[in-house]
Amino acid sequence: MDIDHKADVKKYAPNADEKHIAAIIKHLGIAMKGTDTQLVACSSKDELARVRDSWCKKKLALANPDTELDKAIKDICDKMKGDKSKSRVAFYYLLAEKYGKLSAL
C-alpha cells in the first residue's frame, strides 16, 4: 500500500511544510514499511496511548497531562473522521502543529 503522505497532510494542513513532513517520515523510519503501521487506528485504545506516549511525550517532549493529550488526539481523530485510513504522518503532523512543535522536528 503506497500512501501519498504529503497529499494526506496537505488535505488537513494546506500550507504544510514539506520539510516537516519529511522529518516525520524519517523519524518513523522502518515503521513506514508496514501497511498497518502507516495508519492510526482511532478505535484502538492501545494505539492512541502509543501515540500519546511515543509521539506526544517522547518526540514532542510535551509535559501536558494525559487527559489533555488524549483530548487533543481525539480531536485529531474527529478531524480525520472522514478518512477510513488515517495516515500516521498526517496525524502526527497535525498534533505537532497543534502544539507549535513543528520546528522541533
Side-chain angles (χ1 to χ4, degrees):
M1 174 181 196
D2 284 331
I3 296 174
D4 185 348
H5 298 290
K6 183 171 65 171
D8 276 352
V9 172
K10 291 195 178 243
K11 197 179 338 178
Y12 297 100
N15 298 319
D17 187 325
E18 292 183 25
K19 174 181 76 172
H20 296 131
I21 296 169
I24 293 170
I25 292 169
K26 182 179 178 187
H27 168 76
L28 291 170
I30 196 141
M32 295 303 287
K33 301 290 183 207
T35 302
D36 287 347
T37 56
Q38 292 185 48
L39 306 173
V40 172
C42 285
S43 60
S44 168
K45 288 183 182 183
D46 290 343
E47 168 78 5
L48 300 181
R50 241 186 326 276
V51 169
R52 180 191 64 220
D53 296 338
S54 296
W55 180 249
C56 295
K57 290 182 176 182
K58 286 183 183 173
K59 181 62 178 171
L60 300 181
L62 296 173
N64 307 55
D66 284 359
T67 53
E68 182 183 321
L69 295 174
D70 290 342
K71 182 181 180 328
I73 291 166
K74 184 186 179 318
D75 290 346
I76 302 298
C77 284
D78 290 344
K79 185 173 190 168
M80 296 180 79
K81 185 171 36 180
D83 274 339
K84 185 177 180 185
S85 300
K86 293 162 186 59
S87 159
R88 185 171 303 277
V89 175
F91 203 95
Y92 284 9
Y93 187 97
L94 293 173
L95 280 168
E97 182 180 58
K98 175 178 180 62
Y99 285 102
K101 293 285 193 168
L102 288 171
S103 62
L105 303 174

